[in-house]
Amino acid sequence: MKPRMIVTASLLATVAAVLLLVAIQTLHMRTLGGENVQPVTAAQHPIQLTEDNLVDVLSTMKLSTPIARVEWKQSILTLDLKVTGTSTSYSEIYGNMAAVADLGFRSLDNVEQVMLRVMAEDEWVHKRHLLLAADFRRGEWPMYAIETLRDWNSPILSDELKDWFHIMETELWKKQFEMSNQGA
């Protein structure tokens, strides 16, 4: 075989291998429901959450409810979101929950679990009441579930979302959001 043919054959084999890898990656992302998930590049490389960068990382989220408490311990991020008054909607809360999950599992590569509580605070007596709790665990739900939660347009969550994110609603949540919305 001539050297020129060997070089040409090697070049064609390399191009074919690259195209095959791209096709496999695309198929893999679609199988996981991650059509909207972009592959990580060097510029987008997930960062490691630490005690030193906890405040900086969390401040990148655009939440409509403030963070009342946060803890980072052994790959578990624990957050309390504080709702005051009655002006916060269930869709805002779901959007905030999705933002926390998005940060924890798409932007950070060392978070294995996010434990999230949505707390109502009585402005008069400063007493806190649990509205909603979620336990997001890496690998237990498809990546499109974050968008599903973010876009959910009913105060009553699907059983699928509840199962994926281990969501527990209190009676106070049901009274405030589910029952008040039934007449609408």
Side-chain angles (χ1 to χ4, degrees):
M1 215 176 200
K2 293 183 180 178
R4 185 178 281 174
M5 289 179 69
I6 292 173
V7 170
T8 303
S10 296
L11 187 59
L12 288 174
T14 302
V15 169
V18 168
L19 292 174
L20 180 64
L21 287 173
V22 169
I24 290 171
Q25 180 184 11
T26 303
L27 178 64
H28 177 71
M29 289 175 65
R30 286 198 177 134
T31 308
L32 290 176
E35 294 87 357
N36 296 328
V37 177
Q38 299 299 315
V40 175
T41 63
Q44 299 173 317
H45 183 68
I47 60 172
Q48 296 277 317
L49 186 63
T50 65
E51 286 288 332
D52 294 335
N53 69 0
L54 183 62
V55 172
D56 294 331
V57 169
L58 294 179
S59 69
T60 64
M61 286 189 297
K62 306 293 187 241
L63 301 177
S64 62
T65 54
I67 296 173
R69 184 180 82 78
V70 64
E71 181 180 331
W72 169 243
K73 192 180 216 178
Q74 298 175 346
S75 77
I76 300 172
L77 179 62
T78 305
L79 284 166
D80 284 357
L81 299 180
K82 180 172 68 171
V83 175
T84 55
T86 57
S87 62
T88 304
S89 69
Y90 65 85
S91 58
E92 283 180 87
I93 293 170
Y94 294 155
N96 290 336
M97 292 171 68
V100 170
D102 197 26
L103 174 78
F105 299 106
R106 287 189 181 154
S107 300
L108 304 170
D109 63 358
N110 63 331
V111 175
E112 292 300 318
Q113 183 178 9
V114 174
M115 298 176 66
L116 178 70
R117 295 187 312 175
V118 178
M119 307 293 292
E121 185 172 312
D122 185 322
E123 296 170 320
W124 291 88
V125 294
H126 298 288
K127 187 169 181 178
R128 297 172 66 199
H129 306 279
L130 180 65
L131 290 173
L132 195 66
D135 182 356
F136 299 84
R137 296 174 186 217
R138 187 180 294 277
E140 290 192 6
W141 38 272
M143 289 305 281
Y144 69 84
I146 294 173
E147 270 47 281
T148 303
L149 180 60
R150 185 183 332 270
D151 298 334
W152 197 256
N153 60 2
S154 168
I156 301 171
L157 289 168
S158 69
D159 289 338
E160 196 170 53
L161 280 169
K162 288 180 185 178
D163 289 344
W164 285 336
F165 298 134
H166 307 280
I167 296 175
M168 186 272 310
E169 303 148 324
T170 64
E171 287 303 315
L172 184 58
W173 170 268
K174 291 175 184 176
K175 180 180 175 186
Q176 178 65 33
F177 294 104
E178 293 179 12
M179 291 179 189
S180 66
N181 215 28
Q182 286 179 348

